[in-house]
Amino acid sequence: MASRRKFLKTAGLGAAATTLAAPYVNAQSAPIKWRLQTYSGAPLGAHVIKPQIDAFNAAANGEMEIELYYADQLVPTAELFRAMQAGTIDAVQSDDATMASPVDISVFGGYFPFNTRFSLDLPAMFAYYGLNDIWAEAYGEVENVTWLSAGAWDPLHIFTKDPIRSLADMNGKRVFGVPTAGQFLSRYGLVPVTVPWDDVEVALQTGELDGVAWCGFTEAYEVGWADVCNYALTNSVTGAWCGSYFANTESWNKVPPHLQQLFRSTIDQSHYYRNVWYWGGEAKLRVEGEKMELTSLPAEEWAQVVADAAGFWDEIAASSPRAGKVVQAFKDYAATMEKAGYPYR
């Protein structure tokens, strides 16, 4: 009898365990559908976002599906922000400046001169020097847009058809590039030119463009620009591009918490993938890449560019109190890195 009671008790526990472990059933009648557009063209997008979207769609278990669109496929890149705000698209991956975000910190998106030396500098400043709070505050003031996360991309180099071996060689060269870096480099005679991302290679071939100031070596080789540019300037204007993920707030609020967390987690996965892909690619292609000849500026001229950047920082800091906070964070971080020494600086 005791054995029978023990058996029944154990069987009851087994039944309870089976009930608790019953598979999750999705009661939702139809999956949530999102449209997300990135700043990048398809060849680059295959690395900077497609792995993340594929991972999310697989893990969402049929509850949600994100359709991925590349540069200019649904709306022009310069109109990404307004299209997302209006709900034409549900989410965006871009830097603030390129998509014309109407916030006083948009100038820091993309390439801000000399604010980073390495890719890890950027997420470190967001995590430890207050930039997360500043970005959330700025976009919190914008109707129907939610800022989600910022991450680092590649350093900024200048790739051209004719060599740059001095600042004078920059004069008059028409380059495709991101807004803030173009604004800074224009003081040396570079002429920023805007064309659709997919048209850059043809514009280089036809002479409409003399070069690009948009990316590092990894992208230049990946998307084909290294095939039509002959020279690469090794002096990098900054160490990492700053890009973010954004969502239409109404669309975001319709996503259940567990899928919001899944999206944030796959964003982190994307940040990690990009950091490794770029970090390894930059070094490997500078050493082993054979498509472009490497050039550099004289040390005294480069020192002048670095000094000019300090003045540029002060100009931007004076544009708004919040911009001033960002620049102060840059300064505090740079001072800490210098004091820390190797391997930080």
Side-chain angles (χ1 to χ4, degrees), residues 150-237:
W153 270 249
D154 50 343
L156 174 61
H157 291 275
I158 302 173
F159 305 105
T160 50
K161 296 195 298 185
D162 295 322
I164 295 176
R165 294 191 173 95
S166 69
L167 287 176
D169 290 337
M170 292 189 184
N171 191 45
K173 282 188 169 56
R174 296 158 296 177
V175 297
F176 171 74
V178 291
T180 305
Q183 178 185 346
F184 176 70
L185 292 170
S186 65
R187 66 184 60 201
Y188 309 111
L190 281 178
V191 181
V193 177
T194 300
V195 299
W197 193 93
D198 282 336
D199 294 345
V200 171
E201 186 171 350
V202 173
L204 287 164
Q205 291 171 328
T206 61
E208 182 182 354
L209 290 174
D210 299 305
V212 294
W214 169 269
C215 61
F217 284 76
T218 314
E219 283 190 23
Y221 274 80
E222 183 69 24
V223 306
W225 297 344
D227 296 323
V228 289
C229 290
N230 303 314
Y231 298 91
L233 185 63
T234 56
N235 304 89
S236 61
V237 178

Side-chain angles (χ1 to χ4, degrees), residues 52 92-96 99 122-123 126-127 131-132 135-136 139 146-153 241-247 252 263-272 274:
Q52 181 233 339
V92 165
Q93 179 203 50
S94 177
D95 71 273
D96 317 63
M99 69 174 190
L122 188 80
F126 271 84
L131 298 194
N132 270 325
W135 257 249
Y139 284 99
T146 298
W147 172 81
L148 296 173
S149 179
W153 270 249
W241 189 78
C242 175
S244 288
Y245 284 81
F246 306 83
W252 179 248
F263 190 60
R264 289 185 183 277
S265 296
T266 56
I267 286 174
D268 288 341
Q269 177 191 43
S270 180
H271 292 335
Y272 174 78
R274 276 184 278 101

Side-chain angles (χ1 to χ4, degrees), residues 85-103:
Q85 189 176 39
T88 304
I89 51 180
D90 300 286
V92 165
Q93 179 203 50
S94 177
D95 71 273
D96 317 63
T98 299
M99 69 174 190
S101 294
V103 292

Side-chain angles (χ1 to χ4, degrees), residues 252-283:
W252 179 248
N253 289 341
K254 292 176 183 176
V255 176
H258 69 288
L259 291 179
Q260 288 185 350
Q261 181 56 55
L262 178 62
F263 190 60
R264 289 185 183 277
S265 296
T266 56
I267 286 174
D268 288 341
Q269 177 191 43
S270 180
H271 292 335
Y272 174 78
Y273 179 100
R274 276 184 278 101
N275 273 339
V276 174
W277 185 62
Y278 280 124
W279 183 254
E282 293 302 303

Side-chain angles (χ1 to χ4, degrees), residues 72 84 237:
D72 305 308
M84 172 180 56
V237 178

